[in-house]
Amino acid sequence: MPDAQEGLFAAVDALLEEAVGRLPPPGERVRLREAGSLTQAQVAKALRVRRETVADWEAARKEPRPPKRAAYIRLLEGLAARHPVPEPTAAPTPPPAPEAHLAPSAAPSPPSSPPVKPAPRGKAPRGRTPERVAPKRPAPVPADADPRFGNGPLGVLDGDGSLYCVGGLVLDCPATTLPALVEWTLAEAKLGAPRLHKSGKDSDPLIVLTAGAVELLGLPATLEDRRGLRLPEDHKVVKQLTKAHWKLTRRGFGPWARIYRPADGGRRRCVQLAVLPWGALDARSWGDTGQLPPAEVAAVLGTYATRVLTPRGSTAVCGLELMSALRPPTRAVRDETTGTWVSGPLPGSLTEPVDPAPPEAPMEHPVVAALYPRFHERTPEQALDEEAYDWFRPLTDEECTGGYTHAVGIDVNMAFAAAANRLNVGLGPATHVRAPAFDPKLPGSWLVDLSHLDLDPRLPSPFTPRGDRPEGPGWYSTSTVAYALELGARVRPVEAYVRHEHGAYLDPWYARLRDAYLETMADLGVTTGMSDEEFLAAMAHHKDADPGRAAVLSAVKSTVKGGIGKLRERPQSARHTYGEGWPALQRPTWSPHIRAELIGKARTNMHRKMTKLASVGLYPVAVLSDCAVYVSRGPSPLDFLPYTPEGKPLPGGFRLGVNPGMVKHEGTQDFLWLASMIEDEQLNPARHIKGTDAVADGE
């Protein structure tokens, strides 16, 4: 009886949920969201679903289910109350022809328009025709926009004083010196972006300087110091800043310069500059963005700032800064003794710099210099070597005589970002233990012998970057040792450095970059839910759809790889002395063990999928990082990827699609090219499968 009654109650609850309201037609759902100046991503974040789910609701491909349904209906009803369907209006009566003899006071007045920010001066910016100038009327500002940053996160300053902002807005900047530009930006420009975490900091306004702006402000057209990439301290502009009591960070005035005064009453006073003629936007990450007109530069950087964060340096710097922006090292806590608010560590974050374990540290680090002479080559028993794959093998007789005509490369989308999802990493100092029992839930570095595991030679070993079988004990991250257990290895660590404080530190970082990637791919016409044929067709031309969005896509992908690389940043100065520290070591995010854990996870994920294809007789001939090359009887991935009798991709194998962890077509070459690359040139075909050098291209 109680069970029957609970079933009745559940049915009644479902009816009540349904009675909350009815969903409007699909087109109306889109109209209401757009009328409220909301993006699908904003709605998804509020309702705690993915952006693709909101897109499915709006297209009526899926219907929201409780409890999301009631919340979604509440949102639409609220938007409908603010933005009712406009009443149809009669066709306007054509105005009478203007009278040539009317006095100026009697001339028809222009229609009223919403107030806009000051327009640029009448002349067109130098080097461009007037029609390339951005429109003067700004795009609608979302209702929930922070009024402090009403003009967006950044502006691009041109030589005529026009400051191009996101949404087509153009401001008139009166400043002709750098101190005046900084003062005006902080006092009047209303630029910046709100913090990504309640305990974080708001993003400082970014001013991007074109070649014309560089000339206007008295800066040199090029940097003479190509090694240090900074202005000399006696340059007149640096002296102007010093005289006006502005400061520069330790990296000085270079392509990315930060100008600030100490915070006043908790209010930051800081402006970030990006100098385009000095190479602020690396072409490997941003394509030709630095050569675009100012309005288009603002559109590209503004999209990146909205989806990732306001640029603060190279994409590698942005990748690392994003980690701290989403998980700040400290938060405000109340001192129980004094009752005042003080800074305290934020649980789940990297809160302070810690020394790496000796096998995790690069050779220049003080902990390594204390153990080995300068030019000592560390062995696998002395150093952790978790790096991405660079492997290829000779072709087999069956591959040479089996009628194969092509070599086809497939590439895992956002492979390292996908590996960061739900990855358990160490957050504190390492503890050294002898002969420990292996714990797959405990992040760390383990000295263990995995050479006894006998694997198919047609597959790379999952334990070494070169794909060679280990010859004895070596250091491995927890991810790699856990995969060895999965393959049936006997795991008996000799010693380990483990981190008892740990957590999924990279989860919000992964989620934000995943959403930025998927939203940008959707802009380029590649969406989830496509058939394999539709996906391949869309991917073949997606970068041609919108060069600006393609530049954003490139920057998002570079942010992932660059940010991971920054976790183990080595000395950048040519004057560094072996065995001494360097500035990067003072960051809580200098964490080589996290980089090792993540790369080990990405490499073993790759091996797991290749092993699944090997179970049906398909073996890669080459692997480079997240790209695998297979022989094929046709030029498309569809010609060799295995499918079930029901037409579904082989479970656990490579699957075509746009989501992180799925694969795309990387490139195709003919079989004779493959044989020559392997046998004659002894080069990794995966590096050149696109027809270019993937490493040189920043892949």
Side-chain angles (χ1 to χ4, degrees), residues 153-230:
L154 56 89
V156 181
L157 182 65
D158 206 7
D160 67 343
S162 297
L163 187 75
Y164 295 81
C165 305
V166 298
L169 173 66
V170 184
L171 304 179
D172 187 20
C173 174
T176 57
T177 67
L178 205 54
L181 173 62
V182 175
E183 295 276 7
W184 177 84
T185 300
L186 293 174
E188 300 183 39
K190 291 187 178 181
L191 295 177
R195 65 197 69 187
L196 298 179
H197 187 283
K198 64 180 182 180
S199 296
K201 298 181 177 66
D202 296 329
S203 289
D204 298 315
L206 168 64
I207 301 295
V208 182
L209 304 181
T210 66
V214 164
E215 180 182 353
L216 174 70
L217 298 172
L219 293 166
T222 58
L223 276 179
E224 295 182 4
D225 181 4
R226 301 310 302 167
R227 179 181 293 274
L229 287 177
R230 64 182 64 191

Side-chain angles (χ1 to χ4, degrees), residues 250-576:
R250 185 163 46 187
R251 63 183 176 183
F253 200 121
W256 290 92
R258 189 173 291 244
I259 303 172
Y260 72 98
R261 286 175 181 157
D264 179 19
R267 183 173 63 89
R268 289 172 62 82
R269 295 183 292 175
C270 181
V271 174
Q272 178 77 58
L273 296 183
V275 188
L276 295 183
W278 297 358
L281 300 181
D282 190 330
R284 291 172 297 179
S285 301
W286 292 99
D288 296 331
T289 301
Q291 309 302 319
L292 295 175
E296 296 177 34
V297 175
V300 171
L301 296 183
T303 301
Y304 180 89
T306 302
R307 295 178 182 177
V308 183
L309 85 166
T310 305
R312 305 172 186 179
S314 67
T315 50
V317 169
C318 292
L320 200 69
E321 291 279 344
L322 182 62
M323 296 180 194
S324 296
L326 293 167
R327 287 198 186 272
T330 60
R331 63 173 177 172
V333 295
R334 185 180 293 276
D335 187 325
E336 298 299 334
T337 304
T338 63
T340 59
W341 291 94
V342 297
S343 179
L346 180 65
S349 293
L350 298 170
T351 59
E352 60 182 2
V354 297
D355 282 337
E360 299 165 350
M363 59 179 295
E364 305 91 346
H365 197 279
V367 302
V368 177
L371 296 174
Y372 309 106
R374 179 172 185 178
F375 297 106
H376 173 74
E377 292 284 342
R378 289 188 289 171
T379 67
E381 292 184 77
Q382 298 169 338
L384 180 70
D385 188 23
E386 294 283 14
E387 299 293 342
Y389 271 131
D390 187 355
W391 169 89
F392 65 98
R393 62 170 174 82
L395 296 170
T396 65
D397 291 342
E398 191 278 331
E399 289 165 343
C400 292
T401 61
Y404 296 103
T405 57
H406 294 84
V408 181
I410 52 175
D411 181 83
V412 180
N413 302 323
M414 300 275 283
F416 296 104
N421 188 24
R422 298 190 296 274
L423 181 67
N424 189 25
V425 300
L427 303 178
T431 300
H432 185 223
V433 290
R434 296 279 184 182
F438 175 67
D439 183 354
K441 297 181 180 180
L442 191 59
S445 301
W446 310 78
L447 180 60
V448 60
D449 189 353
L450 300 177
S451 61
H452 62 277
L453 202 61
D454 190 19
L455 300 174
D456 194 311
R458 291 171 292 182
L459 290 172
S461 167
F463 308 127
T464 64
R466 301 294 298 182
D468 302 324
R469 182 173 178 170
E471 297 180 353
W475 286 96
Y476 304 98
S477 67
T478 298
S479 296
T480 302
V481 182
Y483 184 60
L485 275 180
E486 187 178 322
L487 295 176
R490 299 187 307 274
V491 174
R492 298 174 182 173
V494 178
E495 58 179 308
Y497 289 90
V498 297
R499 289 175 168 80
H500 295 288
E501 183 185 351
H502 52 82
Y505 172 75
L506 294 172
D507 268 10
W509 184 80
Y510 160 75
R512 187 162 179 85
L513 288 168
R514 174 204 63 203
D515 291 348
Y517 168 77
L518 290 175
E519 194 168 353
T520 307
M521 289 297 288
D523 290 342
L524 295 170
V526 186
T527 60
T528 58
M530 285 181 160
S531 68
D532 290 351
E533 292 80 5
E534 291 171 336
F535 171 71
L536 291 174
M539 287 296 295
H541 305 289
H542 75 288
K543 292 185 179 179
D544 302 328
D546 184 336
R549 296 294 196 224
V552 175
L553 177 66
S554 174
V556 169
K557 294 194 289 187
S558 295
T559 301
V560 173
K561 291 189 176 181
I564 293 168
K566 280 283 187 180
L567 291 168
R568 192 179 183 260
E569 182 179 352
R570 301 175 80 165
Q572 302 296 303
S573 173
R575 296 188 294 271
H576 175 261

Side-chain angles (χ1 to χ4, degrees), residues 89-141:
T89 56
T93 303
E99 297 289 338
H101 61 273
L102 285 179
S105 59
S109 60
S112 61
S113 59
V116 297
K117 293 296 177 181
R121 299 176 179 125
K123 63 180 180 179
R126 282 172 284 183
R128 300 192 309 284
T129 56
E131 59 268 27
R132 298 299 296 272
V133 180
K136 298 180 177 63
R137 179 173 296 179
V141 179

